[in-house]
Structures are given as structure tokens and as C-alpha cells.
Amino acid sequence: MTDTQVTWLTQESYDRLKGELDSLIANRPVIAAEINERREEGDLKENGGYHAAREEQGQQEARIRQLQELLNNAKVGEAPTQSGVALPGSVVTVYYDGDENDTETFLIATREEGAQGGKLETYSPSSPLGAALIDTKVGETREYTVPSGATVKVTLVKAEPYHS
């Protein structure tokens, strides 16, 4: 696995996600009891409470699998402390196609680790834009291909460590 395929997490983010996982696992008996209680109400075809409880169980199990996969494959470490280089965990400002007025500032991180409260757009290090920017130094221009097949030039203006 290359560094751009690894999910980088700070210890704080890892602990937060692990806490969510532990809470979901601890809640399994509650959901199972709810399903059993609803099942005893009778005809399952027209039992909305039973179907709602089963749906909730399915969503929680999917989130448990997602968190387990993420945490099992995550590399835990400190957020970058280096300025001037785009790394996972950096807040970067870029401009596109040579237009210095067309700037955007965002965090290079996974959605799970992304900026809390949605204050800052987050791009994955494995996304086309994120992958193009990794290890770029301020002033350098890189190219990447967007889903339409077009090539976009992106120039790094600023890179700073993210502080939540």
C-alpha cells in the first residue's frame, strides 16, 4: 500500500472513531431486543416498527463494518507540523489553471477525519486533486485529470498543518 492509499489519522481522530465503534457494538443487544419485541407484535408484513428496527440494525452494522475497515487500515500519527508542503492533514490554498483569482482552501484528509462542523471542505489524499497535491511545495504546479477527462492545472499557494 502506498502512502496515498493509507488512511492517515491523528491519535485524536482515531480515538474518536474507536469510541463511535465501541458505542455501536455496545448498542447491538438493544437493537436485537427491539427487533424481538416488535416481532412479537404479530404480522410482520404490516409491522412498521419491526421493519424500522431491522433497517436501523442494517445501518448500524454497515457503519460498524466501515469503521472496522478504516481503523484496521489506518496509520495513526501526528498531524504534519511542516508548513509549505502539501501533506495529509494539511490545510492548503491553491489556484487553478493559472488564474490567481480562482483560489480554494481545503483540508487534505479523509472524510472521517475531516474538519469538524463542515467549516472546511475536505479532499481525500486518494482523490485526483489530493493525490496530485501530495508532496507539492508552495509555488509548484501539478496537473490532474477530472472525471470528465479534462486536465486541470493546480498551483499550491499555501500549506499549513490543520489544527481542529
Side-chain angles (χ1 to χ4, degrees):
M1 219 183 265
T2 66
D3 282 353
T4 56
Q5 293 171 320
V6 170
T7 300
W8 291 85
L9 295 174
T10 62
Q11 188 63 53
E12 176 186 347
S13 293
Y14 181 90
D15 293 344
R16 179 175 46 83
L17 293 170
K18 179 75 168 103
E20 179 185 350
L21 175 62
D22 292 345
S23 173
L24 288 170
I25 290 172
N27 195 45
R28 278 175 165 164
V30 174
I31 295 294
E34 174 80 9
I35 290 170
N36 286 336
E37 188 177 301
R38 299 296 181 188
R39 184 180 290 128
E40 292 173 6
E41 291 175 357
D43 185 10
L44 296 182
K45 288 182 184 174
E46 296 182 19
N47 188 332
Y50 170 79
H51 293 290
R54 290 291 308 231
E55 176 70 20
E56 183 178 349
Q57 179 188 41
Q59 290 174 352
Q60 285 194 5
E61 289 300 320
R63 180 64 177 159
I64 286 170
R65 286 189 303 277
Q66 178 188 28
L67 288 170
Q68 287 173 329
E69 173 80 13
L70 173 71
L71 295 174
N72 287 338
N73 296 315
K75 183 167 183 175
V76 179
E78 293 301 311
T81 56
Q82 182 179 5
S83 295
V85 178
L87 300 168
S90 295
V91 176
V92 299
T93 301
V94 300
Y95 65 83
Y96 298 96
D97 292 323
D99 182 357
E100 294 184 24
N101 295 319
D102 183 14
T103 64
E104 182 179 16
T105 299
F106 54 88
L107 172 65
I108 300 176
T110 63
R111 296 272 177 217
E112 288 79 10
E113 188 178 25
Q116 301 302 313
K119 294 177 247 162
L120 192 60
E121 185 68 41
T122 303
Y123 287 93
S124 167
S126 58
S127 70
L129 175 57
L133 286 171
I134 295 297
D135 294 325
T136 301
K137 294 176 179 55
V138 169
E140 289 182 350
T141 299
R142 300 273 176 97
E143 292 184 355
Y144 67 101
T145 304
V146 294
S148 69
T151 299
V152 176
K153 289 183 180 180
V154 61
T155 302
L156 183 64
V157 176
K158 181 179 174 184
E160 297 292 333
Y162 173 67
H163 300 289
S164 54

